[in-house]
Amino acid sequence: AQSVTQPDIHITVSEGASLELRCNYSYGATPYLFWYVQSPGQGLQLLLKYFSGDTLVQGIKGFEAEFKRSQSSFNLRKPSVHWSDAAEYFCAVGGSSGGTSYGKLTFGQGTILTVHP
Amino acid sequence: ETGVTQSPTHLIKTRGQQVTLRCSSQSGHNTVSWYQQALGQGPQFIFQYYREEENGRGNFPPRFSGLQFPNYSSELNVNALELDDSALYLCASSAGQGNSPLHFGNGTRLTVT
């Protein structure tokens, strides 16, 4: 069974500081990995995705994530956080085996990011 | 391009009632997935529809059912509502291929009293 763990429920950083959100996954085959962001009362917006190839993935809003197979991790990073980055961030794993796996993502519990001025 | 739209945005129902939530998929997408997001939790997969047929289901009871129409829009129906069904229900569409990410709507907030 696939699973995602986001160890940090809540992270607080100062504006301009660097950010790293942790994500560990469990999946029996080659995973598809995603980071989504959710503002209060809103749906999920895709930040970036990893399917294959280069393990360092660039996304929108200056975010990047690195896939480390040996550590089963897909941590999200940003060199300088802006106040508008305050939101909840979700890591998700999906299937690469096709068929019903395409739409079935398993999400972590989320990490709430607070940004201090 | 038009994104994923869901209706209604908010809904209040009484325990035991039935509810129907609607979703219009993004243009060009033929696959729709539904997720339930309880307060403080990550979304949980309910089921997926591809070409009008259920094509994968999560750990939800049969009182959660759905439909997909020829234009790829979709409905989620929940019968015999329980208090624990209170949640944000998210619809997501995709092009139905392994490397096609999900695009989510803003969700329907369902409150069961």
Side-chain angles (χ1 to χ4, degrees), chain A residues 10-87:
Chain A
H10 197 168
I11 283 184
T12 299
V13 299
S14 297
E15 191 169 16
S18 63
L19 172 70
E20 182 169 29
L21 301 183
R22 295 183 292 166
C23 171
N24 293 96
Y25 70 90
S26 173
Y27 190 72
T30 302
Y32 289 164
L33 294 160
F34 307 84
W35 275 99
Y36 284 88
V37 61
Q38 185 177 38
S39 297
Q42 299 295 309
L44 302 171
Q45 181 183 20
L46 179 67
L47 285 176
L48 48 79
K49 59 187 183 293
Y50 171 79
F51 291 126
S52 64
D54 194 347
T55 56
L56 186 61
V57 179
Q58 301 298 320
I60 63 171
K61 304 184 179 184
F63 286 93
E64 66 177 26
E66 186 171 12
F67 170 57
K68 293 186 177 180
R69 185 186 299 274
S70 62
Q71 298 177 18
S72 296
S73 70
F74 189 58
N75 294 348
L76 182 70
R77 301 193 294 248
K78 186 169 185 178
S80 177
V81 171
H82 188 262
W83 64 266
S84 61
D85 294 324

Side-chain angles (χ1 to χ4, degrees), chain B residues 12-44:
Chain B
I12 300 175
K13 290 287 190 178
T14 303
R15 189 172 52 185
Q17 286 187 317
Q18 178 266 343
V19 69
T20 297
L21 310 181
R22 295 178 174 83
C23 171
S24 293
S25 60
Q26 183 166 315
S27 176
H29 287 181
N30 58 14
T31 302
V32 172
S33 304
W34 285 92
Y35 286 77
Q36 181 195 65
Q37 186 179 18
L39 202 59
Q41 302 294 317
Q44 288 201 329

